[in-house]
Amino acid sequence: MLESLRLQRIVDRLLAPWQWVTGPGVTIGVVREDALALHRAAGMANIELGVPIGPGTTFRIASVSKQFTCAAILMLAAEGKLRVEDDVRDHIAAFPDLGHRITLAHLMHNTSGIRDMLEVMRLGGVDLGQPCRAEDLLDGVCRQRGLNFEPGTRYLYSNSNFMLLGHIVEQVSGECLAAFLDRRIFAPLGMTMTRHTPQTTELVPGLATGYFPAPGGWRRALHNFPLGGEGGLVSSVEDLALWHMQFGVPQLYHDALASELTAMTPFANETPNTYARGLRIKSWRGMGTVGHDGLWPGFKTSFVRVPQHQVAVICISNDATADPHDLAFRVIDALFDGTPFVHPVPPVPDWALSDCAGAAALTGCYVNRDTGATVEVARDAQDRVTANVNGVATFLVPTADGRLATSRGSGDFTLRFDGAAIEVERDAGFIETLHRVAPGGRLPADLPGRYVNPDTAATWGITATDGGAEMRVAGPLLQATGPWEIAPVEGDFIRIYTPLTLFRGWLDAVVLRDAAGRITGLHVDGGRVKGLVFTRVD
């Protein structure tokens, strides 16, 4: 009883910033063995109506949905209706032949190389705040004529993978994804507050409103994209606790489902891929964890299980400024601190300590002079080292071998600093060196012009400004978007800032030239889209 009281007070302290305020909030649940041992909440589900977050509040859980889509695929495979080694083109006729066999397993493990549909749409000028149709998203994926990498060789998070899986569930089962998931998963497990919602305009009982901060208060988060197998679920702490029990006492048709969801497949070079099937397998302080985060405008979710101790922590928020991932792992620390099997966090390397001369030298912008990829290294308000890639920042945690590692995100990497450059090790053991960028860079004077790309069906128009250059985008859905800011990095390496609903992102671009030095195009890499070439047209 006293241990339960201690945990309750620790969680209440974590929720304190959302207590007694008229803003959005956070809810946290802790599952121990077969019981929802704790469920606390603070803040408002709906500010306008004065409705607080409670046990019956539901939220958009975004990418936490992916494991349910994979479960549906595995159920159909167990019944012989498909195979995880099927080619995507066996089930989706419109998907192009990209020169490689891409399997359903590649989709589930994020090793397909298929470019992310949300970023493809964004490069065509359309972000989550503008309306589009499910057909537009599928067209964006099927319009691609290249991949991020050869299937099975690398990992890169892509919502396209799970959107396609959702379509395949519908094709094979003969029913919509919402009906299949409800009949085969939610109803048998008693998950009565969980449903798949393809349209964000659909009325959902108990659904919290998502909020962004605004001057003097809050504003509703805009989100108009349709949602499929990549992120369409609405759920609650209680229902996710019921789903967690499936992994301890399997109930859905065949006992292998839980283990199949967490099964990992190595890369082609035999290095491990820690992304299983809609789930991330990671180690924290010597404990194995299985989980996934979710992000959608105004909503954030972190669902983490510690299987060997039959524990799960569920943290969901309708406050865009909250950090459920950090909160969830602080609860895990509180649960297991002081126990013999939990390792202490390794010490921060000397070169990253804030009171060390080398630490000041660590912060700054770094560029890979072969690819144009950039990383911004900085410090946050808690004096933690942070790394920002394409506008997505994460704080770094020390590793046992004296490096710093990303704490979360769609692309894990570790970092080491030698005083002048950083060495970054990414997925599949790929290592690259990024060099510090000197301040005062200038954009190439001949950059202005028109650039076109068939994969995005977009035309980019770059014009000179008093301060440098800016860009306007004409795409398949919007004929005029922008201006987007363009900033110098170093020489022919530039950065294009894309205004996003969720954060201020950027594209890394390399100016391409012919033998005479004339610009022929731009080689563009985003966080989840690689190798796009925008050809210059006069």
Side-chain angles (χ1 to χ4, degrees):
M1 291 293 292
L2 288 177
E3 175 59 23
S4 297
L5 180 61
R6 182 187 77 91
L7 181 62
Q8 175 183 310
R9 290 184 176 178
I10 288 171
V11 169
D12 284 346
R13 182 178 297 175
L14 294 175
L15 293 173
W18 295 275
Q19 293 281 15
W20 318 120
V21 295
T22 56
V26 176
T27 183
I28 297 175
V30 178
V31 184
R32 278 178 146 166
E33 296 181 344
D34 63 347
L36 182 57
L38 179 145
H39 186 191
R40 311 288 282 181
M44 308 302 291
N46 186 282
I47 297 173
E48 302 93 308
L49 299 177
V51 178
I53 296 172
T57 303
T58 60
F59 303 81
R60 297 198 179 277
I61 61 171
S63 291
V64 175
S65 307
K66 289 177 168 65
Q67 59 198 281
F68 294 92
T69 304
C70 289
I73 290 288
L74 294 172
M75 286 178 168
L76 293 170
E79 295 162 8
K81 296 179 179 177
L82 55 75
R83 298 178 310 120
V84 297
E85 294 305 321
D86 286 348
D87 192 303
V88 174
R89 299 177 70 236
D90 294 340
H91 300 284
I92 299 181
F95 192 81
D97 182 355
L98 298 176
H100 298 279
R101 190 169 186 274
I102 304 173
T103 68
L104 308 193
H106 288 139
L107 302 182
M108 289 192 282
H109 292 287
N110 268 325
T111 58
S112 71
I114 297 172
R115 294 166 177 152
D116 183 87
M117 63 188 185
L118 301 184
E119 194 151 10
V120 168
M121 298 297 290
R122 190 179 309 132
L123 270 61
V126 177
D127 194 36
L128 299 173
Q130 287 93 25
C132 77
R133 304 168 303 162
E135 306 93 274
D136 298 322
L137 297 176
L138 184 59
D139 287 348
V141 173
C142 293
R143 196 166 49 236
Q144 302 303 298
R145 291 299 177 264
L147 295 167
N148 289 326
F149 47 77
E150 182 178 339
T153 63
R154 299 290 301 269
Y155 160 87
L156 191 59
Y157 193 90
S158 176
N159 286 289
S160 303
N161 294 328
F162 301 89
M163 180 266 285
L164 293 171
L165 288 170
H167 280 292
I168 291 168
V169 171
E170 294 183 334
Q171 291 277 352
V172 173
S173 70
E175 55 187 325
C176 70
L177 183 60
F180 183 94
L181 292 174
D182 185 64
R183 182 173 63 85
R184 300 291 299 274
I185 297 179
F186 305 148
L189 294 180
M191 297 173 65
T192 57
M193 290 188 283
T194 303
R195 62 198 293 180
H196 181 258
T197 57
Q199 301 301 323
T200 58
T201 54
E202 183 178 341
L203 299 179
V204 180
L207 179 60
T209 302
Y211 294 96
F212 282 132
W218 300 90
R219 62 180 175 87
R220 286 182 171 229
L222 285 177
H223 47 99
N224 287 307
F225 273 31
L227 295 157
E230 77 287 346
L233 292 190
V234 166
S235 192
S236 66
V237 165
E238 289 185 357
D239 273 18
L240 291 178
L242 290 170
W243 173 243
H244 164 70
M245 290 304 300
Q246 163 66 22
F247 293 87
V249 185
Q251 303 169 48
L252 293 179
Y253 296 93
H254 65 107
D255 292 347
L257 177 63
S259 60
E260 287 176 356
L261 279 171
T262 56
M264 295 186 292
T265 300
F267 296 111
N269 64 4
E270 298 301 323
T271 57
N273 174 21
T274 58
Y275 197 95
R277 289 164 170 162
L279 290 165
R280 298 181 65 85
I281 314 297
K282 302 188 74 171
S283 177
W284 175 245
R285 300 181 63 184
M287 297 180 289
T289 67
V290 178
H292 212 288
D293 290 350
L295 174 64
W296 190 251
F299 296 96
K300 291 181 178 179
T301 303
S302 189
F303 179 20
V304 186
R305 298 189 296 108
V306 187
Q308 70 247 51
H309 304 294
Q310 295 180 283
V311 163
V313 177
I314 304 153
C315 184
I316 317 178
S317 177
N318 63 332
D319 174 356
T321 68
D323 188 348
H325 180 96
D326 184 50
L327 292 170
F329 276 88
R330 288 170 71 180
V331 173
I332 290 172
D333 284 343
L335 284 165
F336 296 108
D337 260 340
T339 54
F341 50 80
V342 176
H343 301 169
V345 176
V348 176
D350 290 344
W351 47 264
L353 292 172
S354 59
D355 58 356
C356 175
L362 171 63
T363 59
C365 178
Y366 295 82
V367 64
N368 181 325
R369 291 173 178 155
D370 294 321
T371 67
T374 61
V375 175
E376 296 273 0
V377 181
R379 289 187 177 275
D380 65 10
Q382 300 177 50
D383 201 33
R384 299 175 298 191
V385 178
T386 64
N388 191 322
V389 179
N390 296 113
V392 180
T394 177
F395 67 86
L396 304 178
V397 296
T399 64
D401 62 356
R403 295 185 288 178
L404 294 176
T406 51
S407 57
R408 91 288 296 275
S410 59
D412 292 339
F413 62 85
T414 58
L415 177 152
R416 190 193 306 272
F417 179 59
D418 69 3
I422 58 174
E423 178 189 88
V424 172
E425 181 173 347
R426 300 188 187 272
D427 60 287
F430 282 82
I431 297 175
E432 59 180 314
T433 300
L434 291 89
H435 298 271
R436 184 190 304 283
V437 174
R442 299 177 64 86
L443 290 171
D446 52 349
L447 181 62
R450 283 178 68 237
Y451 300 81
V452 299
N453 172 261
D455 300 70
T456 59
T459 299
W460 289 358
I462 298 178
T463 56
T465 65
D466 291 340
E470 64 184 21
M471 185 172 84
R472 284 175 169 78
V473 179
L477 299 184
L478 291 178
Q479 289 301 303
T481 303
W484 293 0
E485 177 189 354
I486 302 177
V489 176
E490 180 181 271
D492 276 341
F493 302 127
I494 64 173
R495 182 178 286 179
I496 301 168
Y497 284 95
T498 58
L500 308 176
T501 302
L502 293 171
F503 54 87
R504 185 174 187 248
W506 75 70
L507 305 169
D508 293 316
V510 181
V511 176
L512 304 176
R513 298 181 182 273
D514 62 17
R518 294 177 296 236
I519 293 181
T520 60
L522 301 173
H523 180 282
V524 177
D525 287 339
R528 300 172 183 175
V529 166
K530 307 295 182 183
L532 285 177
V533 173
F534 281 75
T535 302
R536 184 163 185 164
V537 292
D538 295 325

